[in-house]
Amino acid sequence: MNSDDKIKHLIDLRVKAKLGGGEKRVEAQHRKGKHTARERISMLLDEGSFEEYDMFVTHRSHEFGLENQTYLSDGVVTGHGTIDGRVVYVYSQDFTVFGGSLSETHAQKICKILDQAMKVGAPVIGINDSGGARIQEGVKSLAGYAEIFERNILASGVIPQLSAIFGPCAGGAVYSPALTDFIIMNDKTSYMFVTGPKVTKTVTGEVISTEALGGAQMHATRSGIAHYVSQNEEEGLLFIRKMLSYMPQNNLEDPPATECQDPIDRMDDELNEVIPDNTNEPYDVKDVIFSIIDKGEFLEIHRDYAKNIVVGFAKFNGMPVGIVANQPNQMAGVLDIDASRKAARFVRFCDCFNIPLVTLVDVPGFLPGSAQEFGGIIIHGAKLMFAYGEATVPKITITLRKSYGGAHDVMSSKQLRGDINYAWPTAEIAVMGPRGAVEILEGKKISEIEDLAEAKKFAAKKEEEYRKMFSNPYEAAKYGYIDDVIEPRNTRFRIIRALQTLATKKEINHPRKHTNIPL
Ligand code: HXC
């Protein structure tokens, strides 16, 4: 072969590799409304930025006649590229090759980019579309999975790891995405479960569809495994790009600040009116969020799960922050098991990656009831408390209205090392709400009043007394638990100034092997 032939051979090999499992299988993939592994990578990355590794890798299996069935790249496309000019590593499973199943070499390719991403300090994005372990390879495939899991674990909190599920993801394969920071699933074309409908029926007798057992909607609303459901793959990949725009490349860097076009002292008079006169009336905390952040641009995470708490990314004066807010228009914004887990995970992510936390509080307490107690609300509530208490990023807390009982302590209170704690004049910071307090303190007396109308009148009077005494921010401010009571319309400016002041904050927890967060 002369050098021209050699170059032609290289080009031919590249063309062959790009065909994956062949035209027919690519067509089948398209018919399902899915893209190929390489198409997905080009949608995800900046144009022309992808550098592929290991295109010429093939499996080494001889079992079941596999030696006659080899495909260049072996069912996964790996490499690096850029998103908004910043380096990211990516792997994208190719369903057209053995159903994207994971062989020994397929696993090695993923491990290689995880290792490099760790050395370079760059995020990793995994696009999953796979029939699981390559059945013909047996335990080598299982070992391959474990190699990936270990790397996901060691990379946790060092580099952001994001997963897209764009097809099957079943059995032990679910655990790599589960170990990453965020999972997005595409609606209708993806599913995740440890055991599928067939095994479920055999073992338990339960008959359930794939979609109901592990579809994107189920994981976004019930299990909380999916942080976002995309309507199509382009949109899902765009969501990943957006998420990354709030994150640093690794735990040693600050999140990327951008120029801000929104005046920092922009006031919003409507905020002064947002809290209803009746303290039990709901309102939408997202109206407050949209009003105070840069240009109303809020990237909500976990939107359909535990709606009684809202979490997501936003910017103040171009500085990325994580926002956590109780949502009074869903179950009165109460903290329950799901909300505690959702917020705890988010707080810990932000703390890992130096993203300051802004917490908006309007919480009537923890949700009472046997379902919550049997489900372990004690330990789940403790997760959120632990996450806030352990976090060393700048923590700014604004109490909008209710902040009662244990939930007050949990929601980034001063004593959990909240750096700057402001309250609106509408804040009610107390051990519990007036009705509960009067029932406990005056219940016996009330029950002894024979006339029902008189009893009600007495209770109302006592509630009013309690409200006057405790349902305000000034009791807490008196002790310095609240640093200042601020006018709602000025909240944006006060948060920005707090963030600027805290930009050089240094707080180091005591050295130890690791914490023992109540799991
Ligand atoms: C090898 C596989 C494969 C696998 C699919 N294929 N899964 N090859 N190992 N695990 C191949 C098929 O033979 C087929 O090859 C092609 O991929 C497409 O598969 P189809 O069945 O035609 O596609 P579809 O109808 O869309 O069904 C997709 C599927 C199904 C639901 C994923 O293929 C399936 O159930 N596969 C087996 C899933 C499974 O049991 N995996 C092992 C799980 S245990 P051709 O040549 O026809 O194109 C596991 C343990 C991991 O993963 C533990 C980690 C700790």
Side-chain angles (χ1 to χ4, degrees), residues 21 25 32 34 69 71 95-102 130-137 141-143 145-146 149 168-175 191 194 198:
R25 292 192 182 96
K32 288 181 205 157
K34 293 162 69 177
Q69 242 188 314
Y71 297 89
F95 191 80
T96 69
V97 174
F98 300 114
S101 58
L102 188 130
S130 166
R134 177 102 32 106
I135 294 166
Q136 299 93 325
E137 291 214 7
S141 171
L142 297 188
Y145 271 118
F149 300 156
C169 184
V174 298
Y175 286 109
Y191 56 86
V194 172
K198 278 188 196 152

Side-chain angles (χ1 to χ4, degrees), residues 114-316:
L114 280 164
D115 289 341
Q116 282 226 18
M118 282 288 276
K119 281 189 223 165
V120 170
V124 174
I125 299 139
I127 303 174
N128 296 263
D129 186 0
S130 166
R134 177 102 32 106
I135 294 166
Q136 299 93 325
E137 291 214 7
V139 304
K140 282 186 284 180
S141 171
L142 297 188
Y145 271 118
E147 294 278 357
I148 297 170
F149 300 156
E150 180 62 23
R151 282 167 177 77
N152 289 139
I153 293 163
L154 295 178
S156 180
V158 181
I159 49 173
Q161 301 182 84
L162 312 180
S163 302
I165 316 294
F166 283 171
C169 184
V174 298
Y175 286 109
S176 175
L179 292 165
T180 65
D181 298 303
F182 294 103
I183 298 179
I184 69 140
M185 292 182 75
N186 195 52
D187 204 16
K188 304 286 190 295
T189 58
S190 69
Y191 56 86
M192 294 179 83
F193 36 61
V194 172
T195 42
K198 278 188 196 152
V199 178
T200 301
K201 182 166 179 246
T202 312
V203 177
T204 69
E206 185 187 1
V207 177
I208 186 162
S209 70
T210 297
E211 184 65 18
L213 187 63
Q217 294 298 342
M218 188 290 283
H219 282 306
T221 56
R222 298 196 66 172
S223 73
I225 304 290
H227 295 91
Y228 182 74
V229 177
S230 58
Q231 294 312 305
N232 56 60
E233 294 180 2
E234 287 99 319
E235 191 227 328
L237 296 167
L238 187 65
F239 192 80
I240 288 181
R241 289 179 62 100
K242 279 194 201 152
M243 277 200 286
L244 283 167
S245 72
Y246 295 94
M247 298 175 194
Q249 290 289 88
N250 56 64
N251 65 328
L252 299 179
E253 291 183 8
D254 286 330
T258 48
E259 208 169 307
C260 174
Q261 310 295 341
D262 197 352
I264 62 168
D265 53 357
R266 176 175 54 75
M267 289 201 193
D268 183 354
D269 289 342
E270 282 182 22
L271 283 184
N272 279 6
E273 311 294 327
V274 86
I275 304 289
D277 288 341
N278 176 351
T279 65
N280 292 323
E281 223 177 86
Y283 62 95
D284 189 349
V285 79
K286 286 190 213 170
D287 290 341
V288 178
I289 297 172
F290 291 135
S291 158
I292 59 178
I293 61 180
D294 290 355
K295 292 179 133 188
E297 284 169 5
F298 181 51
L299 192 71
E300 188 172 356
I301 306 288
H302 250 154
R303 189 180 57 198
D304 300 319
Y305 179 71
K307 292 180 178 181
N308 38 330
I309 202 152
V310 175
V311 304
F313 298 109
K315 290 187 176 180
F316 280 101

Side-chain angles (χ1 to χ4, degrees), residues 73-112:
S73 306
D74 201 28
V76 63
V77 181
T78 59
H80 63 78
T82 59
I83 289 182
D84 295 331
R86 301 194 301 159
V87 174
V88 296
Y89 283 78
V90 60
Y91 74 83
S92 180
Q93 291 178 314
D94 183 352
F95 191 80
T96 69
V97 174
F98 300 114
S101 58
L102 188 130
S103 66
E104 182 190 20
T105 44
H106 177 130
Q108 283 168 352
K109 286 181 65 174
I110 295 176
C111 289
K112 188 193 259 188

Side-chain angles (χ1 to χ4, degrees), residues 3 12 30 83 88 118 160 184 223 234 292 325 339 348 353 359 394 404 426 448 451 455 482 491 502:
S3 57
D12 288 347
H30 286 157
I83 289 182
V88 296
M118 282 288 276
I184 69 140
S223 73
E234 287 99 319
I292 59 178
R348 294 195 99 216
F353 292 106
T359 303
Y404 286 141
T426 41
E448 280 165 7
D451 184 274
I482 289 295
T491 304
L502 293 169

